[in-house]
Amino acid sequence: GLTDEQVLQSRKEHGANTLTPPQREPLWKLFIEKFDDATIKILLAAAVLSIVLACIEKFWLKNPDASFIDSIGIFLAVALATLAGFLSELKSSHEFEMLNKVKDDINVKVLRNGKLTEVSINDIVAGDVVQLTLGDKVPADGEVFESQGLLVDEAVMTGESVPVEKNPAQTSAANTVFRGTMVADGHGRFVVDAVGDNTRLGQIAANLGSNASDSETPLVQKLSKLAGQISTVGMVGAALIFVAMAGFALYGWDGWTTGFNAETITALLHRLLNAFIVAVTIIVVAVPEGLPMMVTVSLALNMMKMAKENVLIRKLVASETIGSATVICTDKTGTLTENKMTVTWTYPEVSGRTCSANLVEAISINSTAEIGEKNLGNPTECALLTFLQKNGADYRQYRNKYKRIQELSHNSERKMSLVEVEKDGKHVSYSKGAPEKILPNCRTIFVKDKISQISEYQAQIDAAIKDATGNALRVLAVASDDTLLMLIGISDPIRAEVPHAVTVCHNAGVDVKMITGDSEPTARAIARQAEIVNDDTDLVWTSAHLAEMSDEELDKNIHHLKVLARATPLDKLRLVKSLHKQGEVVAMTGDGTNDAPALKNADVGISMGITGTEVAKEASDIVLVDDNFTSIKTGIWWGRTLYENIQKFLVFQLTVNVVAMVCCLVGPFIGISLPLTVPQLLWINIIMDTFAALALSTDPPRESFMRRRPVPRNAGIITGSMLKIIGITGIWQVVVLATLLFTGLLVEHRFELGADLQKPDILKGNIQPLTVFFTAFVFLQFWNIFCCRTLHRGESALAGLLKNKLFLFIVALTAAVQIGMVVLSPYAGIGAIFRIEPLSLPQWLGIAGI
């Protein structure tokens, strides 16, 4: 391998192993694109027309009261609302970029300074010697110089589904491996000759540009459909509001009495245009164009939080789907256990803390792991090598002692590995794996320093295996040709937090099934410790038992299945399909290359970050960084939190929609043509679409989320209880606002409402009642956002409030801006733009009290 100095020199000469990201559009262009919305364009066009009419009034008709304030206010409010949405999307995009960097940063085994070590894929340089094993992703382009049964899946490059053999005996071109391809079998080493953009993958990426994009998740699709339905209602409401305002404008038009002239026609056009602008603004407010964006922001925030909890989301859909999981099919090793494997039992016992030469050779040669300050490779092999080291043997002296003839790597189907070498002119094979795979090929056994017939010891062997597996030990058999050298028992303690996590999942309506390659007794013992198996009605099957069952029998009994022992990848796939028939939402874990089909077919495929192969990670939706089952429980918790936060936002937004539309629709009928102006409506839209989205999307999870049943697969996102909350809250707000107007409550300058309904604006010249109305409207939403923090009886809306600093900041900012607008209304045209004037302290206290 290279020295540290050579690594630096190579990186300087040939560059780093990073791919240049596609060129991004400039921020100003992305901001301009935010205006590419039909309703925004109509609103801006109407604002321009309003300026034209104001110009006609001011400069042609010489009307001194003509003003551009309303039009300018519309422009400013639209720009502010658009800027808020743009900044939210920019934050979301930045977080997705950070996540992708984490997702793509894999570790690679490489020779450096004469030792095998692990480095980030980004640290690989030209000239590095990289070691490849089953399930690895090739980190750069290079030529293989050493291989044992090395097969590489190059489908990502060539589209060919059949893995290609890589052998030094082949031509250089046929023996080249490429970045992004996967090791399908065997192992080997290659020298890197191209990194980063100079790799074939880098050249392809450069030619493709930035056309790739994530497809919409099911939740976004569901919400987009809902947004369309809300938009339709909003447009109908806007049409009714336009008809009402236009009707009252015509009803109170001076032209009927004074005649048709430029002044009266311009005044009528102004009122009709004003009615049209209000109607379009209602559409802007009612159409939840920020809803899909809010979901995207929520997903991004959720993914960042889950990443801190050791749950790395690889595919956007998983962040929402895992919250609906009804069944978890989990591996044992490393997920339920600590993955701290130690040899604690042998048969025959190792005497005098020494191992036979044959056993040392069998373990040393038939392994690829390395132990030291940091163990590299398969944890089981690391445990075996540590066992040799503790018994005075150095595996490094034996590993390459003989010429290798052929190898079979261990996988979840073979359940064994084998190496054939040339020793003293003869071919000798060393094998290790599950006893039921090794013992049928053994005729003799090495006991008490001599070889005996295995039949003489069969009863002892069976009793020893039964005793070891009953004590939750994983038993391996090691053999040389047809001689059993030793049975080795490996302990892997269950994680202390797992039983509680399993109980939490059960309380949340999520069934937990353990799928393991261990024998039935070992699997049953571990499942009892993890509280997956509690009574005799819980079924424990083996792969052989499953194979004998028909699909109908499996479908009938699968809900009672708790443990599947000696499982194969095809067993996992069959279980997923059966559970899907029952309408279950399945989360499936896996770490091996052959687990990829099951991971892809599950609703949520979960791979292991420590022990998982790159093939398994590529096929999965989620990577558990710590391989810990508790992280799955955390993922479900956060997934449910995401779904609930979106429902909270919908309740808040739809309540505001209903109240704003009712106010604008009823206003003209009580003699107030414009209860809420366009700038006021757009400010409300900013509060509702952006600030509220950020505030509610960051609400932390509650313990109660894990005491409810999962949301059914086909359930609508708007529930009956949500509609009830929207209805009750909407009616309450309308009653409060109507009371403020009809009674003149909190208004210091008295007026008579309804004295002359023939006049379109009976409050013209007295905007204090409308200032109270607008401020009360905003502060009702200020309190409503607190109420929307919970949608369930018996839960406090203030629970966990101090944990959400962003929520507190946003509501405080909203209140401060609203108060500031009213207090500073005499300055800089704020009062004219928003049609407000300062309020007294008693009025503020009265609004707060209401």
Side-chain angles (χ1 to χ4, degrees), residues 82 121 174 231 264 359 400 524 578 606 614 750 803 808:
T82 306
I121 187 174
S231 301
T264 57
L359 180 66
N400 299 309
R524 187 185 292 272
S578 179
I606 304 172
E614 290 304 320
R750 292 295 167 188
K803 295 179 181 178
L808 294 172

Side-chain angles (χ1 to χ4, degrees), residues 20 52 139 142 295-296 311 318 343 363 397 477 526 534 591 593 640 662 688 699 734 767 775 785 787 798 842:
T20 302
V52 171
V295 176
T296 305
V311 182
V343 175
I363 293 176
Q397 295 178 8
I526 290 291
N534 294 313
D591 56 8
T593 300
R640 292 186 177 190
V662 169
M688 180 180 69
D699 240 10
V734 169
I767 64 171
T775 305
I785 198 171
C787 294
L798 303 180

Side-chain angles (χ1 to χ4, degrees), residues 410-623:
H410 180 279
N411 61 37
S412 48
E413 285 181 343
R414 292 192 191 110
K415 299 194 181 302
M416 61 163 290
S417 62
L418 181 145
V419 175
E420 185 180 350
V421 299
E422 186 177 313
K423 177 182 178 183
D424 300 329
K426 298 178 182 179
H427 286 194
V428 178
S429 63
Y430 296 112
S431 58
K432 72 175 188 297
E436 64 267 28
K437 295 291 184 180
I438 303 296
L439 292 179
N441 300 316
C442 294
R443 291 186 297 174
T444 58
I445 182 172
F446 188 80
V447 181
K448 299 177 181 177
D449 297 328
K450 67 178 183 178
I451 295 177
S452 304
Q453 292 298 310
I454 199 169
S455 57
E456 299 176 19
Y457 291 86
Q458 192 62 56
Q460 294 182 35
I461 291 172
D462 293 342
I465 292 175
K466 183 178 180 180
D467 181 59
T469 55
N471 286 301
L473 296 181
R474 181 185 180 192
V475 178
L476 295 177
V478 181
S480 172
D481 287 333
D482 61 355
T483 301
L484 177 65
L485 299 177
M486 185 171 285
L487 295 173
I488 297 177
I490 298 177
S491 70
D492 186 10
I494 194 166
R495 294 179 185 266
E497 66 273 18
V498 161
H500 173 71
V502 170
T503 301
V504 170
C505 288
H506 287 159
N507 293 338
V510 182
D511 188 19
V512 181
K513 303 181 188 297
M514 187 177 88
I515 303 176
T516 177
D518 286 335
S519 66
E520 180 182 349
T522 302
R524 187 185 292 272
I526 290 291
R528 283 192 180 278
Q529 293 176 18
E531 298 188 7
I532 293 174
V533 172
N534 294 313
D535 54 54
D536 294 335
T537 62
D538 294 330
L539 297 178
V540 178
W541 296 342
T542 63
S543 178
H545 183 197
L546 181 65
E548 295 173 357
M549 298 180 69
S550 65
D551 288 343
E552 291 73 20
E553 287 179 291
L554 175 59
D555 295 343
K556 184 179 178 180
N557 294 288
I558 194 165
H559 284 303
H560 298 291
L561 173 67
K562 292 298 181 182
V563 178
L564 182 63
R566 291 304 190 209
T568 69
L570 290 179
D571 292 336
K572 288 186 174 184
L573 184 57
R574 192 178 175 198
L575 290 181
V576 168
K577 291 180 177 179
S578 179
L579 288 166
H580 278 164
K581 289 180 188 176
Q582 313 304 314
E584 304 289 355
V585 179
V586 185
M588 171 68 74
T589 72
D591 56 8
T593 300
N594 292 333
D595 289 332
L599 293 174
K600 284 185 176 180
N601 279 272
D603 296 281
V604 184
I606 304 172
S607 62
M608 304 297 116
I610 299 173
T611 60
T613 64
E614 290 304 320
V615 174
K617 292 175 186 176
E618 286 290 321
S620 67
D621 308 299
I622 292 176
V623 177

Side-chain angles (χ1 to χ4, degrees), residues 7 28 121 209 228 235 240 252 283 375 396 484 486 501 627 664 728 731 760 780 795 805 839:
V7 168
W28 65 266
I121 187 174
M235 289 177 184
L240 292 174
I283 294 175
N375 293 343
R396 297 177 183 86
L484 177 65
M486 185 171 285
D627 288 14
C664 289
I728 292 173
I731 291 170
L780 280 170
E795 288 186 1
K805 301 295 191 296
L839 298 175

Side-chain angles (χ1 to χ4, degrees), residues 705-728:
F705 295 168
M706 295 300 283
R707 293 194 292 268
R708 301 178 196 150
R709 303 291 301 175
V711 176
R713 185 188 291 268
N714 298 319
I717 195 165
I718 300 289
T719 65
S721 61
M722 289 170 64
L723 291 174
K724 185 178 179 181
I725 294 171
I726 292 166
I728 292 173

Side-chain angles (χ1 to χ4, degrees), residues 49 78 138 152 173 213 233 330 338 373 402 456 459 472 481 548 587 615 627 716 719 764:
L49 188 56
V78 167
V138 179
V152 179
S213 61
V233 174
T330 176
E338 295 180 358
E373 293 182 9
Y402 307 112
E456 299 176 19
D481 287 333
E548 295 173 357
V615 174
D627 288 14
T719 65
K764 193 169 185 180

Side-chain angles (χ1 to χ4, degrees), residues 6-16 112 123-125:
Q6 289 173 322
V7 168
L8 295 174
Q9 185 62 30
S10 177
R11 189 173 290 124
K12 183 178 179 181
E13 292 179 6
H14 304 285
R112 292 270 178 90
D123 292 333
I124 295 293
V125 298

